[in-house]
């Protein structure tokens, strides 16, 4: 792309300032910037976002498969799930492309060591959880790990260095998610340096597109994988490839399953399962009105009482059907390091702009059917978002200890 073509493209989106330092750059710096402008999709910045748009759909409670019902059929579900795992029908996707800014470590979040007397890396904890099922089933499960440009090399070398924590290396596949430009509050793209636009990973909702672009759906097809269990990097207690969950979803014949926990307060900041115009969906906590928060079901229990924990099962057939459908973009406030008009680097202490993200929770409502599946909160939900306080290394350590893990 030439300078003139780049300028034309940028003008279309009101981003001409990207070329402000062009004349000062070396030849390679200029080439780097032109290549980045060429490959960047600025149109996402002018797409409709969720910001301020009111969802007019009618929200009603959804039936959740709750613990007592699950308990009754647990062995049946487990047998069904295990059999399907043994015939290779399940794959797993670890979402590890996030920046983990709240935790504040420059390494990928999964490299964080939560051990006290020995090393217990987050990645290691997750692999060990997966190994429990692999051992019971007697066969490995393909694990796809999503990274981003920002943490790919570090993640891959860490797994290699730690010998995949004992997991069969030929069943671990890495792929990168896409990046989108990050902007100030007026939608102007930030520059990370004079020759680079500041970008951030495009959220966890683009994972299937990225898996496909990386050519890894060939493995999915070749191996006959029919469902994918997708899970977050930061919940160190979650059960992965859980045969009971898988069996329940298969038995329900649903395209999707969502693990949920009982909320610990009506206003807890988790997405809540519901029906929107009769269709399984997730309502974000900030969309939950007081009326909905206080609503009761026929048994007098809170009607919107089950929060998602970013652990879902999706049917591959359904994923392929929706892969080209438009997903909403969510605007997230973040701290974005950038250079100012003098070219000096600024590392903000407070959020200073927007990232644009697609979210996996929006996939739930793109499925034709879905079953919310309750799990015991204290046994399966220990997210690590912060260093201390709520959803932190500290709180996760406590929960791990309660569950008999040595740290
Ligand atoms: P979070 O919403 O906690 O975001 O991600 P984050 O970027 O990791 O952390 P903060 O907000 O900067 O502190 C939930 C899950 O989705 C993954 C994360 O790695 C985590 O497993 N994720 C998030 C991606 O894979 N890609 C993204 O672009 C964003």
């Amino acid at each position: 792309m030439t300078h003139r073509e780049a300028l034309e493209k940028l003008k279309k989106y009101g981003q001409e300032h990207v070329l402000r330092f062009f004349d000062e750059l070396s030849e390679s710096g200029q080439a780097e910037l032109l290549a980045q402008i060429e490959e960047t999709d600025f149109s996402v910045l002018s797409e409709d976002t969720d910001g301020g748009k009111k969802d007019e759909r009618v929200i009603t409670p959804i039936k959740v498969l709750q613990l007592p019902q699950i308990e009754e059929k647990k062995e049946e579900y487990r047998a069904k799930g295990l059999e399907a795992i043994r015939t290779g029908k399940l794959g797993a996707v670890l979402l590890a492309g996030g920046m983990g800014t709240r935790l504040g470590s420059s390494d990928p979040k999964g490299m964080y060591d939560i051990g006290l007397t020995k090393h217990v890396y987050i990645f290691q904890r997750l692999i060990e959880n997966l190994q429990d099922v692999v051992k019971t089933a007697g066969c490995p499960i393909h694990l796809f790990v999503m990274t981003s440009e920002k943490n790919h090399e570090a993640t891959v070398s860490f797994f290699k260095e730690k010998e995949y924590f004992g997991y069969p290396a030929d069943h671990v596949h890495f792929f990168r998610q896409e990046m989108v430009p990050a902007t100030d509050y007026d939608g102007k793209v930030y520059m990370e340096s004079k020759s680079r636009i500041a970008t951030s990973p495009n959220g966890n909702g683009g994972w299937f597109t990225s898996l496909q672009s990386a050519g890894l759906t060939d493995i999915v097809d070749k191996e006959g994988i029919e469902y994918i269990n997708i899970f977050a990097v930061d919940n160190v207690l979650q059960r992965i490839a859980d045969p009971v969950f898988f069996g329940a979803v298969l038995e329900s014949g649903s395209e999707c399953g969502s693990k949920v926990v009982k909320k610990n307060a009506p206003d807890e900041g988790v997405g809540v399962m519901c029906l929107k115009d009769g269709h399984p969906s997730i309502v974000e906590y900030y969309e939950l009105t007081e009326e909905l928060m206080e609503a009761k079901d026929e048994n007098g229990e809170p009607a919107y009482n089950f929060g998602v924990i970013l652990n879902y099962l999706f049917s591959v057939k359904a994923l392929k059907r929706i892969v080209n459908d438009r997903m909403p973009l969510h605007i997230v406030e973040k701290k974005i390091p950038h250079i100012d008009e003098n070219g000096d680097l600024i590392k903000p202490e407070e959020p200073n702009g927007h990232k644009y993200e697609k979210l996996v929770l929006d996939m739930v409502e793109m499925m034709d059917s879905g079953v919310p599946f309750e799990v015991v909160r204290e046994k399966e939900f220990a997210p690590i978002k912060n260093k201390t306080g709520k959803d932190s290394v500290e709180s996760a350590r406590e929960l791990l200890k309660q569950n008999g893990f040595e740290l």
Side-chain angles (χ1 to χ4, degrees), residues 57-166:
R57 289 172 296 176
V58 178
I59 296 177
T60 49
I62 189 169
K63 269 210 164 13
V64 171
L65 200 51
Q66 295 188 33
L67 294 172
Q69 291 161 278
I70 296 170
E71 200 51 47
E72 262 174 37
K73 296 185 76 175
K74 201 168 187 171
E75 291 319 312
E76 196 184 314
Y77 290 153
R78 191 197 308 279
K80 202 176 178 100
L82 274 177
E83 198 203 308
I85 290 171
R86 288 189 182 116
T87 50
K89 292 198 169 70
L90 185 65
V93 169
L94 163 57
L95 297 171
M99 303 272 277
T101 43
R102 283 171 285 174
L103 187 59
S105 160
S106 53
D107 286 331
K109 199 186 255 188
M111 283 173 63
Y112 201 87
D113 187 357
I114 51 171
L116 293 167
T117 61
K118 56 179 185 176
H119 294 303
V120 181
Y121 303 101
I122 293 180
F123 280 139
Q124 175 186 356
R125 273 273 52 255
L126 298 174
I127 295 288
E128 283 170 6
N129 281 351
L130 182 57
Q131 286 279 37
D132 288 347
V133 180
V134 166
K135 280 188 191 135
T136 313
C139 64
I141 293 167
H142 282 280
L143 173 67
F144 303 90
V145 183
M146 183 164 87
T147 61
S148 86
E149 181 187 289
K150 306 263 181 202
N151 66 13
H152 185 82
E153 307 303 338
T155 304
V156 175
S157 343
F158 189 67
F159 269 89
K160 268 199 198 132
E161 182 195 317
K162 301 294 176 197
E163 295 175 338
Y164 301 84
F165 303 102

Side-chain angles (χ1 to χ4, degrees), residues 95-103 109 146 177 201-204 231-234 310 334 355 357 385:
L95 297 171
M99 303 272 277
T101 43
R102 283 171 285 174
L103 187 59
K109 199 186 255 188
M146 183 164 87
Q177 67 178 103
N202 68 341
N204 56 30
F231 61 98
V233 71
D234 47 37
L310 226 179
K334 288 272 167 167
K355 278 172 58 172
E357 297 193 334
K385 301 287 184 193

Side-chain angles (χ1 to χ4, degrees), residues 224-236:
I225 295 172
E226 292 181 8
Y227 274 81
I228 293 182
N229 179 205
I230 174 140
F231 61 98
V233 71
D234 47 37
N235 180 4
V236 286

